[in-house]
Amino acid sequence: MRIWKTPTGWRLPTAVNNTVIGLLYIGAAFLFFVLAGILALVMRIQLAVGDQRIVTQELYNQLFTTHGTTMMFLFAVPAVEALGVMLLPQMLAARDLPFPRLSAYAIWAYVIGGLVFFSTIFYDLAPQGGWFMYPPLTTTQYSPGNNADFWLLGIGFIEISAIAGAIEIVVGTLRTRPPGMTLAKMPIFAWSMLIFAGMIIFAFPAVILATMLLELERAFGWPFFSAELGGDALLWQHLFWFFGHPEVYIIFLPAAGLVSMMVPTFAQTPLVGYRLIVVALIATGFFSFGLWVHHMFTTGIPTLSLAFFSAASMAVSIPSGIQVFSWIATIAAGRERFRMTVPSLFILGFLFIFVLGGLTGVMVAMVPFDWQVHDSYFIVAHFHYVLVGGMVFPLFATFYYWAPMVSSRMLSERLGRWTFWLMFMGFNVTFFPMHIVGLQGMPRRVWTYPSMMGWDLLNTISTIGAFIIAAGVLVFIIDLARNFRFGQVGPDNPWGAGTLEWLPNDVYSTRSIPLVRSREPLWDQQNLAEEVKNGHHFLPGAPTGGRETVVTTAIEAKPQYIIQMPGPSWTHLFAAVFTAAFFLLLTIKAVTIAITCGVLAVASCLIWAWQLDRPGKGEVDIGGDIRVPTYITGPQSHSWWAMVVLMLVMGSLFIAYVFSYLYLWTVSPDVWAPDGSPMPPHVAYPLLSAGLLVGGVALLALAYRALPDPGKRSWEAFLLLVLASCAMAAAVGIEVWGHWITGLRPDASSYAAMVYMAALLTGQGALAVIVLCLFAGARLATRQMDRVRRVTFDNAFLLYAYTAGQGLFGLLLVHGFPRLLV
Amino acid sequence: MSLFARHDSPVIGALFFLLWGPILWAGHLTIAYGGQALLCTLAASSADFDAATAIRLLIGVTTLASGLASVFGAVVPRLPFRLLLRRRPVDADDGTLIGIMRLLSALASLGILFAGVTTAVLPVCAQGR
Amino acid sequence: MRTTARRSAALPLLVIGGCSVEQSALHPTGAGAEQIYSLFWVMTIGGGLIFAAVLLCTLWAIYGGSGIRRTLSAEGMIYGAGVFFPAAVLSALLGYGLYLMQESAFASSPTGAPQIAVSGEMWWWRVQYRDAQGRSLESANEVHVPVGETVNLALTTKDVIHSFWAPQLAGKLDMIPGRTNMLSVTATKPGISRGQCAEYCGGAHALMSFVVVAHPADEYAQWLDGEAAPAKAPDTEREKLGQDLFLRSGCGACHAVRGTAAAGTIGPDLTHVGSRKSLGAATLNNDEASFKRWIVDNQHIKPENGMPPYRIFTEAELDALAAYLDGLA
């Protein structure tokens, strides 16, 4: 198992193994938690009593913006994604996630980007528009300077890293489960991560589009949000909260999944209501997409619209009830009493806080009540109960529970109890009074308040509580320093748990990949640990001689093929560094160096990709008399799946665009063509564009037929790939040209901006497609792509077809809609 | 391969089967909210357009259709199962999937009902403050 | 009546008529706020009971006897307590909510043109009154309403998003660029309360407050008449000097004092500024000392506000200017 060895010394950053980079991921997320927590302490000092002037107005506004942004984007989402990277492969007894370098890339990009973003608070460059960044406050008119751009570009690109992680997790949970672990036997945490990733795929593109629109407005004056030119401030709120509300559940669901893993262990009995929990997770995931307007109850949109979302907010409470009572049932079901350990204390603390937060959540879902408490400290109290209760407490339970999986020593029970009680007490002391002070009229995001309002006492109590929480976190850090030692030789299964991550483990996960027959295989399958250790299950050797794992079918988990995985590398690391540099340099308008870095990032990615798609090694025996191939193409391959998931992401982004287009029309029909703007050009233009797109797909279909036999070269296929690239480029060019000659300019009105935006989105896809097609051409030319070994070609083809489809739809909307209005 | 189930479920089919109710709920919300926004815009621009009737009719019909389909999923899950997975349910795993789908459909039906009822009570386009 | 606890050198306190003014949703003096207040108690008591029940179940599950634990561990329990019970409670609650929204919609059915237009501007409130005779007059940072009468407020913004929140009167409503949001309020008790911008609007968002005065109906008409009159002419020599300074120093470029040459529209109308309950959007008390401090030091009192600090005056001139402004009753 030498091939799985973690690189040492100065080569350590090249590591891709999930336990190594997972630890980096969690460590970075925890660092941001501590940093953003310190900002919160500064704010609490300022608010301890009224009329205080310790912190200036400007700094305070930067503080709460950075606190919120860091906690949401740099701590909460990465932390749960990190747990996925860390725990999922072990729970599924997979050797690693299917795209190890992709996760390593995403993690490095996040670490670098996150640190730079956070550091802006030290040189007065931090954004001060709130973590929600509502325009018009964040347009150049009211926020000149680069501060807001740091948010838009910095966070925008960290979102992209989250999406990369989500793609990994979807393919990982569905395709790298151990043989026999059917969908219905999947651990709850895997379910929750699957739903988590699905939600990221549909929610994050909305905010990515929003950040693109706002950055375009800031940089080039495309008026998406300015009312004078037909834009609308509420468009941002729709897009932002379409992401922002699911975001809350994106954070909560994995944490709830972890609780569902830990509770059965301490009760020593299987989870009561496995099915019900799965229902609750899926239902929460879905309903959470129907809640976004509940952040907009006070914007003055029609009362009936509000009622739809109030109804959905009611519906989303039921799944939480299901989960709470399932946990209580499981606790009650144990033959022995529920074991009181540090993780179980954190779980009970979580139940207490989360139930309270859930109940205030129902209160604010009532539209009239929200009219009163919206944007008051009541809301601050509510969402800290939900998020800290729902995510941070389970996270600390997780730290104590799963530490033995990566540490040779367990964390201290004694210090852990101190941590828990300090955090639990401190939390309630801090946040409970905020409910009352909010009802007494204290609004959020105020850097000071008059002493005579009667809010002083409660605020002082909150400040004291904040320091008690900080003390709890400090004790935890001491515990980490004293007891956490990275190493795989920790105690095996110290809690007596039933799931696969407690099998004897090493960097490559388990010695052999077990055949699973139940939801708690360690409890139900006698001697499983022994058998696995002795290599009696699947893949005991390394038949391909490299890093590899078994891919199984998505529902029934039958072994299907062996995936050959890449090992340590500098390429993805450089790609991450240059991607981060590109975005951050763009922020400070250092355009030339930024573009250089961008090109270097693409080059690193290409070198990285060049090393992939290795040829198959024929069929191999994985044990149990099962022989499977080592190379596979088409709809069964994991790379096809990842591409499809990527297409879903792009599709959500485009749907968000279509929504924005139609939405702005409902707000400002007066700037729309034909009356308010020049008509789109003659139909010949879109027809020609469409023809080129369809023709390009046809060219690729011909190229597919022309792919050579293994070891041969086909200049015909090469030529077709190049031609298809040209067709794509020409289609986008003609579309832009057509609008330009009608006299339409993107900064003229929100209509014009939306017209060019469609072309921009297609152009973005086209750029990726062209790079991919030329990359495929280069593989052809070097005899690395043929009839059999054609994953690269398949990917190019899929992305091409998708982009062409999106382009056609865009043409239909942009050229068709104004003609409907004539 | 006696270690494993004999059948292979189509992934897309299984996905749509599991999410039967939630997908209907999402469709319902999209049509209700989108339809209302669109019809209110049209009503604002032309005086003789009766938005109230149009919206109540649209949302009423959508609620009825998606609600019934969702309830149907909860009550007779085997039909969608056969339709989408192209086989009969055989083992305990299938039972689990069906159980999940039924309760999800039931919850979705409630969600559809909640959203649908609002139309009967409130003015359709007014700000109402 | 609460006496003020603590005085800070930086920000003197707003004390009106000897007692501090509240903006608490827990002491409603308007129809909308009263409804929400009842809703609050229904939900708080109900929520409290449910919370207690969940805690009790958890404790039973851990420490209870085998009988109760067996009951709690049944899947039926999850259906009962986790599905049916919440579904029933939430349905009832949704019904209650819809009823309240219907009431609100009913109350807001427009009975005429808006009587008061409030525009949020970074970081103060421009308030325009229009009465039955068609008189239109401008004021700032105070909303006066008659008790027992439904008043329609037209809410707009000049720059970014603000939110108009007078908790004792009604729930809040945002002011959004390009839109006019209508809010109907009905004061039920005479008295003074406070309101504040509730949507983060940049810089001095924390210091964008206002005063709500609910007059008995007859008093309201009187007040409106007074407000419609042009500014009072200066009485004393000092006030005359103050007016002179005011007009000569260019204050009129931004501020209007009806009846004089000052007709600026960028800043708050000062015609009756002396009669207002506060200065600087409910940031300072309204007295001569505050006027002086504001003129010289407003960027410290309220950082980033649109008025530059004026340090060109001698102490005597400042006194005169303050006396003039304070006298604009």
Side-chain angles (χ1 to χ4, degrees):
Chain A
M1 291 292 170
R2 202 161 15 86
I3 42 163
W4 288 96
K5 202 166 145 346
T6 305
T8 50
W10 59 277
R11 291 178 52 89
L12 188 62
T14 65
V16 293
N17 195 272
N18 76 300
T19 44
V20 181
I21 56 162
L23 206 63
L24 168 71
Y25 209 175
I26 293 177
F30 185 71
L31 174 71
F32 286 120
F33 170 72
V34 172
L35 289 173
I38 291 170
L39 300 188
L41 290 180
V42 178
M43 288 193 283
R44 277 320 318 168
I45 293 172
Q46 162 70 5
L47 293 179
V49 290
D51 295 324
Q52 233 179 165
R53 301 227 151 185
I54 296 171
V55 171
T56 62
Q57 175 177 298
E58 196 192 0
L59 178 60
Y60 189 91
N61 293 344
Q62 295 192 1
L63 283 175
F64 78 74
T65 302
T66 311
H67 170 77
T69 307
T70 305
M71 282 296 191
M72 291 305 256
F73 291 108
L74 301 182
F75 162 61
V77 175
V80 285
E81 201 149 352
L83 290 176
V85 169
M86 187 88 176
L87 296 175
L88 268 183
Q90 319 301 110
M91 277 184 195
L92 304 179
R95 296 262 187 261
D96 204 336
L97 284 166
F99 308 101
R101 284 188 192 170
L102 181 67
S103 24
Y105 166 79
I107 291 164
W108 281 110
Y110 147 75
V111 171
I112 298 163
L115 284 173
V116 174
F117 172 81
F118 190 88
S119 67
T120 57
I121 190 83
F122 299 119
Y123 3 94
D124 197 22
L125 272 175
Q128 38 191 321
W131 86 281
F132 44 92
M133 292 290 282
Y134 280 1
L137 182 60
T138 46
T139 57
T140 35
Q141 190 182 353
Y142 302 105
S143 296
N146 295 334
N147 307 42
D149 303 304
F150 269 106
W151 193 98
L152 292 169
L153 292 171
I155 296 305
F157 124 84
I158 285 162
E159 284 150 6
I160 294 168
S161 135
I163 286 181
I167 293 175
E168 173 97 276
I169 284 167
V170 170
V171 182
T173 40
L174 286 177
R175 302 304 305 282
T176 62
R177 297 202 304 271
M181 185 191 276
T182 57
L183 205 57
K185 293 194 183 71
M186 196 157 80
I188 291 292
F189 180 63
W191 272 106
S192 69
M193 284 314 285
L194 182 60
I195 295 156
F196 158 92
M199 290 172 74
I200 286 190
I201 287 162
F202 291 105
F204 273 53
V207 76
I208 290 178
L209 178 73
T211 45
M212 282 168 74
L213 300 183
L214 186 51
E215 192 52 47
L216 283 170
E217 171 149 3
R218 284 181 62 86
F220 306 111
W222 295 21
F224 296 106
F225 305 110
S226 301
E228 312 85 71
L229 294 173
D232 186 26
L234 288 189
L235 172 62
W236 171 273
Q237 298 191 17
H238 278 292
L239 292 173
F240 185 82
W241 291 116
F242 186 78
F243 140 82
H245 201 90
E247 159 93 343
V248 175
Y249 293 93
I250 284 174
I251 294 164
F252 165 65
L253 288 185
L258 292 166
V259 171
S260 294
M261 302 294 290
M262 289 183 273
V263 167
T265 302
F266 293 118
Q268 287 291 303
T269 186
L271 192 63
V272 180
Y274 173 92
R275 271 196 280 191
L276 289 164
I277 294 260
V278 175
V279 166
L281 294 172
I282 299 177
T284 310
F286 253 85
F287 287 153
S288 69
F289 281 93
L291 305 182
W292 82 92
V293 171
H294 102 195
H295 297 260
M296 302 166 68
F297 280 172
T298 65
T299 52
I301 53 184
T303 190
L304 181 61
S305 316
L306 303 185
F308 293 147
F309 292 89
S310 180
S313 312
M314 296 286 154
V316 82
S317 319
I318 298 175
S320 295
I322 296 179
Q323 296 203 73
V324 167
F325 279 94
S326 285
W327 295 322
I328 291 178
T330 310
I331 292 173
R335 259 166 293 134
E336 312 274 310
R337 285 213 187 288
F338 190 62
R339 220 186 315 151
M340 280 301 164
T341 59
V342 173
S344 38
L345 281 176
F346 271 106
I347 290 168
L348 294 174
F350 147 76
L351 264 181
F352 181 98
I353 295 171
F354 179 71
V355 169
L356 205 62
L359 289 167
T360 55
V362 173
M363 291 172 82
V364 298
M366 290 288 279
V367 177
F369 186 69
D370 188 71
W371 289 338
Q372 199 61 286
V373 295
H374 180 78
D375 273 337
S376 79
Y377 259 85
F378 189 91
I379 299 294
V380 179
H382 158 68
F383 72 73
H384 279 94
Y385 265 80
V386 177
L387 290 175
V388 179
M391 188 265 173
V392 178
F393 274 68
L395 184 71
F396 274 78
T398 302
F399 287 155
Y400 278 89
Y401 183 82
W402 274 286
M405 208 182 78
V406 282
S407 162
S408 51
R409 227 190 286 170
M410 293 179 67
L411 296 177
S412 155
E413 277 286 305
R414 193 172 52 86
L415 290 174
R417 276 168 203 264
W418 273 98
T419 306
F420 169 73
W421 284 111
L422 284 169
M423 284 182 67
F424 182 73
M425 291 307 196
F427 177 82
N428 286 292
V429 171
T430 310
F431 292 102
F432 195 82
M434 289 185 185
H435 291 112
I436 302 164
V437 86
L439 287 164
Q440 289 177 342
M442 182 164 166
R444 295 170 73 175
R445 300 157 189 148
V446 290
W447 66 279
T448 188
Y449 54 92
S451 248
M452 60 98 188
M453 298 305 295
W455 302 333
D456 284 43
L457 178 65
L458 291 172
N459 272 292
T460 310
I461 295 173
S462 287
T463 301
I464 294 169
F467 280 89
I468 302 177
I469 303 178
V473 176
L474 194 66
V475 174
F476 174 71
I477 293 172
I478 293 170
D479 196 0
L480 272 187
R482 287 182 48 166
N483 294 314
F484 190 84
R485 297 289 173 271
F486 186 67
Q488 308 283 345
V489 285
D492 286 341
N493 205 358
W495 314 103
T499 39
L500 297 180
E501 76 274 23
W502 299 107
L503 284 172
N505 250 292
D506 204 330
V507 273
Y508 47 79
S509 188
T510 53
R511 172 80 176 77
S512 60
I513 295 175
L515 173 68
V516 173
R517 297 183 175 287
S518 95
R519 283 180 200 140
E520 287 86 11
L522 265 60
W523 289 347
D524 301 334
Q525 294 172 236
Q526 295 294 316
N527 302 326
L528 185 65
E530 208 50 32
E531 290 170 24
V532 162
K533 206 168 164 182
N534 296 333
H536 292 167
H537 284 254
F538 296 110
L539 217 58
T544 67
R547 295 189 175 204
E548 67 206 350
T549 198
V550 178
V551 173
T552 50
T553 57
I555 314 278
E556 278 85 13
K558 301 182 196 174
Q560 210 170 23
Y561 69 100
I562 296 284
I563 156 178
Q564 306 181 63
M565 294 193 294
S569 158
W570 289 102
T571 53
H572 63 269
L573 187 61
F574 283 132
V577 172
F578 288 124
T579 317
F582 170 70
F583 279 99
L584 294 164
L585 289 166
L586 214 53
T587 310
I588 55 166
K589 317 261 179 329
V591 181
T592 325
I593 334 177
I595 289 174
T596 317
C597 287
V599 171
L600 286 172
V602 174
S604 310
C605 287
L606 290 179
I607 300 172
W608 157 17
W610 193 261
Q611 299 165 2
L612 305 179
D613 193 11
R614 278 171 292 181
K617 302 230 164 78
E619 288 210 338
V620 294
D621 188 349
I622 58 166
D625 288 334
I626 298 174
R627 293 185 67 79
V628 293
T630 50
Y631 190 90
I632 199 167
T633 51
Q636 291 182 332
S637 86
H638 61 287
S639 120
W640 182 287
W641 277 56
M643 200 42 119
V644 169
V645 178
L646 179 66
M647 282 154 52
L648 288 176
V649 172
M650 296 170 72
S652 324
L653 187 81
F654 191 68
I655 289 170
Y657 161 77
V658 174
F659 164 83
S660 307
Y661 180 98
L662 295 173
Y663 174 80
L664 281 184
W665 169 71
T666 65
V667 176
S668 319
D670 47 310
V671 301
W672 240 250
D675 298 331
S677 295
M679 259 316 251
H682 192 273
V683 278
Y685 286 89
L687 283 179
L688 188 57
S689 267
L692 284 164
L693 291 173
V694 175
V697 176
L699 289 173
L700 281 192
L702 290 176
Y704 172 69
R705 291 162 149 264
L707 284 178
D709 289 323
K712 296 263 167 48
R713 218 181 287 202
S714 159
W715 292 112
E716 186 193 346
F718 180 84
L719 193 68
L720 287 166
L721 275 166
V722 174
L723 278 178
S725 303
C726 298
M728 179 63 85
V732 177
I734 287 169
E735 167 67 358
V736 174
W737 175 245
H739 291 294
W740 193 264
I741 54 170
T742 65
L744 192 71
R745 295 293 176 271
D747 54 0
S749 68
S750 64
Y751 164 77
M754 274 296 166
V755 164
Y756 283 97
M757 194 65 205
L760 195 143
L761 288 175
T762 309
Q764 206 181 28
L767 199 65
V769 165
I770 290 167
V771 170
L772 201 50
C773 280
L774 297 180
F775 180 76
R779 304 275 296 193
L780 257 182
T782 51
R783 297 198 180 105
Q784 297 199 61
M785 195 170 89
D786 52 53
R787 225 173 258 294
V788 180
R789 188 181 165 197
R790 47 156 233 268
V791 166
T792 309
F793 181 84
D794 285 358
N795 287 343
F797 200 175
L798 276 177
L799 195 64
Y800 198 107
Y802 168 81
T803 309
Q806 180 190 308
L808 289 176
F809 200 90
L811 292 173
L812 199 63
L813 179 75
V814 165
H815 294 268
F817 190 75
R819 288 189 162 85
L820 274 184
L821 299 177
V822 172
Chain B
M1 302 240 291
S2 58
L3 290 174
F4 305 102
R6 218 163 277 144
H7 47 79
D8 278 306
S9 305
V11 178
I12 307 285
L15 192 71
F16 277 91
F17 172 74
L18 269 183
L19 302 179
W20 178 272
I23 288 172
L24 286 166
W25 169 86
H28 176 260
L29 184 69
T30 310
I31 295 174
Y33 177 56
Q36 183 225 3
L38 204 70
L39 292 172
C40 287
T41 309
L42 291 178
S45 61
S46 88
D48 47 71
F49 180 71
D50 180 9
T53 315
I55 289 171
R56 294 222 163 91
L57 195 70
L58 171 75
I59 296 180
V61 169
T62 317
T63 304
L64 204 67
S66 55
L68 283 180
S70 187
V71 170
F72 175 79
V75 179
V76 207
R78 278 164 183 264
L79 217 67
F81 189 97
R82 255 190 280 174
L83 186 76
L84 291 163
L85 279 89
R86 311 234 171 122
R87 61 184 177 82
R88 285 161 195 283
V90 283
D91 52 18
D93 281 353
D94 289 341
T96 304
L97 295 187
I98 290 174
I100 293 170
M101 179 269 195
R102 292 185 73 173
L103 187 55
L104 273 175
S105 299
L107 287 179
S109 314
L110 189 68
I112 291 168
L113 181 72
F114 275 2
V117 165
T118 58
T119 324
V121 185
L122 295 172
V124 292
C125 298
Q127 214 175 64
R129 292 296 301 275
Chain C
M1 306 235 168
R2 202 173 303 134
T3 50
T4 51
R6 184 177 156 280
R7 269 181 180 273
S8 134
L11 286 177
L13 313 168
L14 175 69
V15 182
I16 295 164
C19 73
S20 64
V21 175
E22 282 195 314
Q23 58 183 42
S24 172
L26 301 175
H27 296 124
T29 57
E34 279 165 5
Q35 268 189 342
I36 297 172
Y37 182 64
S38 319
L39 173 65
F40 160 71
W41 276 113
V42 169
M43 294 196 295
T44 303
I45 293 170
L49 291 175
I50 293 173
F51 182 60
V54 174
L55 283 193
L56 204 63
C57 287
T58 313
L59 290 176
W60 269 332
I62 302 172
Y63 300 109
S66 58
I68 187 103
R69 286 178 62 201
R70 204 172 314 124
T71 314
L72 281 173
S73 67
E75 206 159 288
M77 183 72 193
I78 309 178
Y79 277 102
V83 182
F84 293 113
F85 175 73
V89 170
L90 292 166
S91 304
L93 206 54
L94 183 68
Y96 186 16
L98 290 177
Y99 162 75
L100 290 180
M101 287 163 83
Q102 197 189 25
E103 289 280 284
S104 155
F106 177 71
S108 77
S109 54
T111 51
Q115 291 99 327
I116 305 175
V118 185
S119 161
E121 314 198 350
M122 287 160 113
W123 293 274
W124 62 284
W125 313 82
R126 186 188 299 273
V127 186
Q128 277 166 311
Y129 297 84
R130 189 189 299 274
D131 66 4
Q133 298 108 55
R135 270 187 310 188
S136 172
L137 51 106
E138 186 170 317
S139 178
N141 300 328
E142 272 182 20
V143 176
H144 292 252
V145 291
V147 170
E149 209 179 291
T150 301
V151 179
N152 293 326
L153 306 176
L155 306 178
T156 55
T157 169
K158 198 189 103 190
D159 34 56
V160 301
I161 303 174
H162 303 280
S163 188
F164 180 87
W165 188 29
Q168 295 185 218
L169 217 48
K172 63 181 68 63
L173 189 58
D174 294 353
M175 302 160 134
I176 294 169
R179 294 168 184 245
T180 304
N181 279 343
M182 299 298 298
L183 179 67
S184 302
V185 296
T186 314
T188 52
K189 289 182 202 127
I192 299 172
S193 66
R194 195 174 182 272
Q196 191 163 358
C197 176
E199 180 60 69
Y200 175 64
C201 52
H205 160 65
L207 303 173
M208 184 173 168
S209 302
F210 59 96
V211 174
V212 178
V213 186
H215 300 273
D218 48 337
E219 226 177 75
Y220 180 73
Q222 247 176 26
W223 174 84
L224 204 61
D225 284 341
E227 196 70 15
K232 186 174 79 70
D235 290 329
T236 64
E237 274 312 304
R238 208 158 64 112
E239 287 182 16
K240 283 204 182 86
L241 175 63
Q243 184 182 41
D244 202 36
L245 282 165
F246 184 86
L247 296 173
R248 257 194 306 136
S249 314
C251 304
C254 294
H255 297 284
V257 178
R258 271 175 280 134
T260 74
T265 54
I266 295 170
D269 182 300
L270 300 179
T271 308
H272 297 288
V273 67
S275 71
R276 290 191 202 140
K277 313 287 181 220
S278 72
L279 292 184
T283 307
L284 299 176
N285 285 323
N286 190 350
D287 51 32
E288 286 190 27
S290 299
F291 274 112
K292 284 169 66 181
R293 286 197 46 222
W294 180 264
I295 292 165
V296 175
D297 208 21
N298 64 69
Q299 287 299 330
H300 284 112
I301 298 165
K302 189 165 174 174
E304 298 176 49
N305 87 79
M307 176 165 161
Y310 284 85
R311 306 216 164 132
I312 52 172
F313 302 112
T314 64
E315 190 61 27
E317 287 176 330
L318 261 183
D319 278 338
L321 200 50
Y324 167 65
L325 291 168
D326 199 42
L328 290 174

